[in-house]
Short mmCIF file of all heavy atoms in Angstrom, two decimals:
data_model
loop_
_atom_site.label_atom_id
_atom_site.label_comp_id
_atom_site.label_asym_id
_atom_site.label_seq_id
_atom_site.Cartn_x
_atom_site.Cartn_y
_atom_site.Cartn_z
N THR A 254 -183.27 28.45 -180.33
CA THR A 254 -184.43 29.07 -179.79
C THR A 254 -184.22 29.42 -178.33
O THR A 254 -184.46 30.42 -177.81
CB THR A 254 -185.72 28.29 -180.01
OG1 THR A 254 -185.85 28.20 -181.50
CG2 THR A 254 -186.96 29.01 -179.42
N VAL A 255 -183.70 28.33 -177.61
CA VAL A 255 -183.62 28.57 -176.13
C VAL A 255 -182.44 29.50 -175.90
O VAL A 255 -182.57 30.31 -174.94
CB VAL A 255 -183.28 27.06 -175.50
CG1 VAL A 255 -183.05 27.24 -174.03
CG2 VAL A 255 -184.50 26.17 -175.80
N ASP A 256 -181.37 29.42 -176.56
CA ASP A 256 -180.24 30.23 -176.24
C ASP A 256 -180.58 31.64 -176.47
O ASP A 256 -180.19 32.68 -175.86
CB ASP A 256 -179.01 29.83 -177.19
CG ASP A 256 -178.47 28.55 -176.67
OD1 ASP A 256 -178.83 28.00 -175.48
OD2 ASP A 256 -177.67 27.85 -177.42
N ALA A 257 -181.42 31.91 -177.52
CA ALA A 257 -181.89 33.27 -177.77
C ALA A 257 -182.80 33.72 -176.62
O ALA A 257 -182.63 34.86 -176.23
CB ALA A 257 -182.74 33.31 -179.07
N ALA A 258 -183.61 32.83 -176.13
CA ALA A 258 -184.47 33.16 -174.98
C ALA A 258 -183.56 33.47 -173.72
O ALA A 258 -184.00 34.34 -172.93
CB ALA A 258 -185.46 32.06 -174.64
N VAL A 259 -182.52 32.76 -173.53
CA VAL A 259 -181.56 33.06 -172.42
C VAL A 259 -181.03 34.36 -172.57
O VAL A 259 -180.96 35.11 -171.48
CB VAL A 259 -180.50 31.86 -172.37
CG1 VAL A 259 -179.43 32.38 -171.39
CG2 VAL A 259 -181.10 30.50 -171.98
N GLN A 260 -180.57 34.73 -173.64
CA GLN A 260 -180.00 35.98 -174.04
C GLN A 260 -180.99 37.14 -173.64
O GLN A 260 -180.72 38.25 -172.98
CB GLN A 260 -179.43 36.18 -175.20
CG GLN A 260 -178.26 35.29 -175.61
CD GLN A 260 -177.72 35.39 -177.08
OE1 GLN A 260 -178.28 36.22 -177.84
NE2 GLN A 260 -176.74 34.56 -177.36
N ALA A 261 -182.24 36.97 -174.16
CA ALA A 261 -183.28 37.95 -173.88
C ALA A 261 -183.61 38.10 -172.52
O ALA A 261 -183.77 39.18 -171.94
CB ALA A 261 -184.58 37.60 -174.69
N TYR A 262 -183.70 37.04 -171.73
CA TYR A 262 -183.97 37.01 -170.28
C TYR A 262 -182.81 37.71 -169.51
O TYR A 262 -183.03 38.61 -168.62
CB TYR A 262 -184.29 35.67 -169.79
CG TYR A 262 -184.48 35.64 -168.30
CD1 TYR A 262 -185.64 36.00 -167.74
CD2 TYR A 262 -183.50 35.24 -167.36
CE1 TYR A 262 -185.95 36.01 -166.39
CE2 TYR A 262 -183.81 35.28 -166.07
CZ TYR A 262 -185.03 35.65 -165.54
OH TYR A 262 -185.28 35.64 -164.17
N ALA A 263 -181.54 37.47 -169.92
CA ALA A 263 -180.42 38.03 -169.29
C ALA A 263 -180.29 39.56 -169.50
O ALA A 263 -179.96 40.25 -168.64
CB ALA A 263 -179.18 37.37 -169.79
N ALA A 264 -180.79 39.99 -170.74
CA ALA A 264 -180.69 41.28 -171.15
C ALA A 264 -181.74 42.26 -170.51
O ALA A 264 -181.49 43.29 -170.03
CB ALA A 264 -180.79 41.53 -172.62
N ASN A 265 -182.95 41.69 -170.53
CA ASN A 265 -184.08 42.60 -170.02
C ASN A 265 -185.21 41.88 -169.30
O ASN A 265 -186.31 42.49 -169.06
CB ASN A 265 -184.67 43.32 -171.26
CG ASN A 265 -185.15 42.31 -172.42
OD1 ASN A 265 -185.58 41.28 -172.06
ND2 ASN A 265 -184.85 42.80 -173.64
N GLY A 266 -184.92 40.63 -168.94
CA GLY A 266 -185.89 39.99 -168.11
C GLY A 266 -187.04 39.39 -168.74
O GLY A 266 -188.07 38.99 -168.14
N THR A 267 -186.96 39.28 -170.14
CA THR A 267 -188.09 38.70 -170.92
C THR A 267 -188.27 37.27 -170.67
O THR A 267 -187.30 36.49 -170.86
CB THR A 267 -187.80 38.94 -172.44
OG1 THR A 267 -187.74 40.32 -172.62
CG2 THR A 267 -188.99 38.33 -173.18
N ILE A 268 -189.37 36.85 -170.11
CA ILE A 268 -189.66 35.41 -169.80
C ILE A 268 -190.21 34.76 -170.99
O ILE A 268 -191.14 35.37 -171.70
CB ILE A 268 -190.58 35.31 -168.60
CG1 ILE A 268 -189.95 35.88 -167.38
CG2 ILE A 268 -190.94 33.78 -168.42
CD1 ILE A 268 -190.81 35.90 -166.16
N PRO A 269 -189.68 33.70 -171.43
CA PRO A 269 -190.13 33.05 -172.78
C PRO A 269 -191.64 32.59 -172.69
O PRO A 269 -192.14 32.12 -171.75
CB PRO A 269 -189.21 31.80 -172.93
CG PRO A 269 -188.78 31.47 -171.55
CD PRO A 269 -188.54 32.78 -170.86
N SER A 270 -192.28 32.90 -173.82
CA SER A 270 -193.75 32.72 -173.89
C SER A 270 -194.09 31.22 -174.38
O SER A 270 -195.10 30.80 -174.22
CB SER A 270 -194.31 33.68 -174.91
OG SER A 270 -193.77 33.59 -176.15
N GLY A 271 -193.16 30.52 -175.05
CA GLY A 271 -193.35 29.20 -175.51
C GLY A 271 -192.89 27.99 -174.66
O GLY A 271 -192.76 26.97 -175.08
N TRP A 272 -192.67 28.32 -173.35
CA TRP A 272 -192.12 27.42 -172.41
C TRP A 272 -192.94 26.06 -172.42
O TRP A 272 -192.30 24.98 -172.46
CB TRP A 272 -192.19 28.08 -171.02
CG TRP A 272 -191.79 27.06 -169.87
CD1 TRP A 272 -192.57 26.30 -169.13
CD2 TRP A 272 -190.40 26.82 -169.45
NE1 TRP A 272 -191.85 25.61 -168.32
CE2 TRP A 272 -190.51 25.97 -168.40
CE3 TRP A 272 -189.17 27.42 -169.80
CZ2 TRP A 272 -189.40 25.51 -167.76
CZ3 TRP A 272 -188.10 26.86 -169.11
CH2 TRP A 272 -188.26 26.04 -168.08
N ASN A 273 -194.26 26.07 -172.43
CA ASN A 273 -195.01 24.81 -172.31
C ASN A 273 -194.88 24.01 -173.54
O ASN A 273 -195.20 22.84 -173.53
CB ASN A 273 -196.54 25.17 -172.07
CG ASN A 273 -196.67 25.72 -170.72
OD1 ASN A 273 -196.06 25.43 -169.82
ND2 ASN A 273 -197.76 26.64 -170.57
N GLY A 274 -194.32 24.56 -174.69
CA GLY A 274 -194.20 23.75 -175.88
C GLY A 274 -192.70 23.35 -175.96
O GLY A 274 -192.48 22.62 -177.04
N TRP A 275 -191.96 23.72 -175.07
CA TRP A 275 -190.56 23.22 -175.08
C TRP A 275 -190.38 21.78 -174.63
O TRP A 275 -191.18 21.31 -173.80
CB TRP A 275 -189.65 24.10 -174.23
CG TRP A 275 -189.34 25.48 -174.83
CD1 TRP A 275 -189.87 25.92 -176.13
CD2 TRP A 275 -188.49 26.50 -174.30
NE1 TRP A 275 -189.30 27.25 -176.23
CE2 TRP A 275 -188.55 27.51 -175.09
CE3 TRP A 275 -187.86 26.56 -173.12
CZ2 TRP A 275 -187.85 28.79 -174.87
CZ3 TRP A 275 -187.21 27.80 -172.81
CH2 TRP A 275 -187.14 28.80 -173.79
N THR A 276 -189.33 21.13 -175.11
CA THR A 276 -188.99 19.82 -174.58
C THR A 276 -188.35 20.01 -173.21
O THR A 276 -187.94 20.99 -172.77
CB THR A 276 -188.00 19.11 -175.55
OG1 THR A 276 -186.74 19.81 -175.51
CG2 THR A 276 -188.49 18.98 -176.93
N ALA A 277 -188.23 18.86 -172.51
CA ALA A 277 -187.63 18.94 -171.15
C ALA A 277 -186.17 19.34 -171.27
O ALA A 277 -185.69 20.08 -170.45
CB ALA A 277 -187.77 17.48 -170.51
N ALA A 278 -185.50 18.87 -172.37
CA ALA A 278 -184.09 19.28 -172.51
C ALA A 278 -184.02 20.87 -172.78
O ALA A 278 -182.96 21.45 -172.24
CB ALA A 278 -183.49 18.48 -173.76
N GLU A 279 -184.99 21.37 -173.56
CA GLU A 279 -184.99 22.87 -173.73
C GLU A 279 -185.19 23.57 -172.43
O GLU A 279 -184.55 24.69 -172.09
CB GLU A 279 -185.99 23.23 -174.81
CG GLU A 279 -185.57 22.68 -176.16
CD GLU A 279 -186.63 22.81 -177.18
OE1 GLU A 279 -187.89 22.79 -176.80
OE2 GLU A 279 -186.38 23.06 -178.31
N GLN A 280 -186.15 23.10 -171.64
CA GLN A 280 -186.41 23.73 -170.33
C GLN A 280 -185.21 23.64 -169.36
O GLN A 280 -184.80 24.60 -168.77
CB GLN A 280 -187.64 23.16 -169.69
CG GLN A 280 -188.87 23.33 -170.50
CD GLN A 280 -190.13 22.65 -169.74
OE1 GLN A 280 -189.96 21.88 -168.77
NE2 GLN A 280 -191.30 22.95 -170.31
N MET A 281 -184.51 22.52 -169.41
CA MET A 281 -183.34 22.36 -168.58
C MET A 281 -182.18 23.30 -169.10
O MET A 281 -181.50 23.96 -168.28
CB MET A 281 -182.87 20.90 -168.59
CG MET A 281 -183.81 20.00 -167.90
SD MET A 281 -183.53 18.20 -168.28
CE MET A 281 -181.86 18.00 -167.61
N ARG A 282 -182.04 23.39 -170.37
CA ARG A 282 -181.01 24.27 -170.96
C ARG A 282 -181.21 25.66 -170.48
O ARG A 282 -180.31 26.37 -170.10
CB ARG A 282 -181.05 24.16 -172.44
CG ARG A 282 -180.17 25.17 -173.26
CD ARG A 282 -178.70 24.70 -173.29
NE ARG A 282 -177.94 25.44 -174.27
CZ ARG A 282 -176.81 25.06 -174.78
NH1 ARG A 282 -176.32 23.86 -174.42
NH2 ARG A 282 -176.12 25.74 -175.59
N PHE A 283 -182.48 26.15 -170.64
CA PHE A 283 -182.86 27.50 -170.12
C PHE A 283 -182.48 27.76 -168.73
O PHE A 283 -181.70 28.71 -168.30
CB PHE A 283 -184.25 27.76 -170.44
CG PHE A 283 -184.78 29.16 -169.92
CD1 PHE A 283 -184.53 30.27 -170.90
CD2 PHE A 283 -185.31 29.34 -168.76
CE1 PHE A 283 -184.95 31.54 -170.48
CE2 PHE A 283 -185.75 30.69 -168.39
CZ PHE A 283 -185.57 31.74 -169.26
N LEU A 284 -183.01 26.86 -167.85
CA LEU A 284 -182.78 27.05 -166.35
C LEU A 284 -181.24 26.98 -166.04
O LEU A 284 -180.79 27.55 -165.03
CB LEU A 284 -183.54 26.03 -165.52
CG LEU A 284 -185.05 26.23 -165.69
CD1 LEU A 284 -185.75 25.10 -164.88
CD2 LEU A 284 -185.43 27.57 -164.92
N ASP A 285 -180.54 26.14 -166.77
CA ASP A 285 -179.06 26.00 -166.42
C ASP A 285 -178.18 27.10 -166.93
O ASP A 285 -177.08 27.20 -166.58
CB ASP A 285 -178.66 24.70 -166.97
CG ASP A 285 -177.51 23.97 -166.21
OD1 ASP A 285 -177.39 24.30 -165.01
OD2 ASP A 285 -176.71 23.26 -166.91
N ASN A 286 -178.78 28.00 -167.80
CA ASN A 286 -177.91 29.02 -168.50
C ASN A 286 -178.32 30.48 -168.06
O ASN A 286 -177.62 31.39 -168.53
CB ASN A 286 -177.96 28.80 -169.95
CG ASN A 286 -177.11 27.64 -170.32
OD1 ASN A 286 -175.82 27.72 -170.55
ND2 ASN A 286 -177.61 26.48 -170.50
N ILE A 287 -179.44 30.63 -167.58
CA ILE A 287 -179.85 32.07 -167.22
C ILE A 287 -178.95 32.54 -166.06
O ILE A 287 -178.29 31.65 -165.35
CB ILE A 287 -181.32 32.17 -166.71
CG1 ILE A 287 -181.63 31.17 -165.61
CG2 ILE A 287 -182.17 31.81 -167.94
CD1 ILE A 287 -183.09 31.33 -164.98
#
C-alpha cells in the first residue's frame, strides 16, 4: 500500500489519504522513498 502511494506521489503529487491509519514503519517507508 505504501509503495503504491510513493509511486502515486512521485507521478502526480497525490498525497496519501490514509496516513493517520498507517503504522510508524509505513510512515517512515513513505518519507524515505518519495
Side-chain angles (χ1 to χ4, degrees):
T254 300
V255 178
D256 291 344
V259 168
Q260 292 177 7
Y262 179 75
N265 53 37
T267 301
I268 297 176
S270 59
W272 176 267
N273 290 331
W275 284 2
T276 66
E279 288 170 331
Q280 294 179 353
M281 292 164 62
R282 173 80 165 200
F283 179 83
L284 289 175
D285 210 27
N286 285 274
I287 60 175

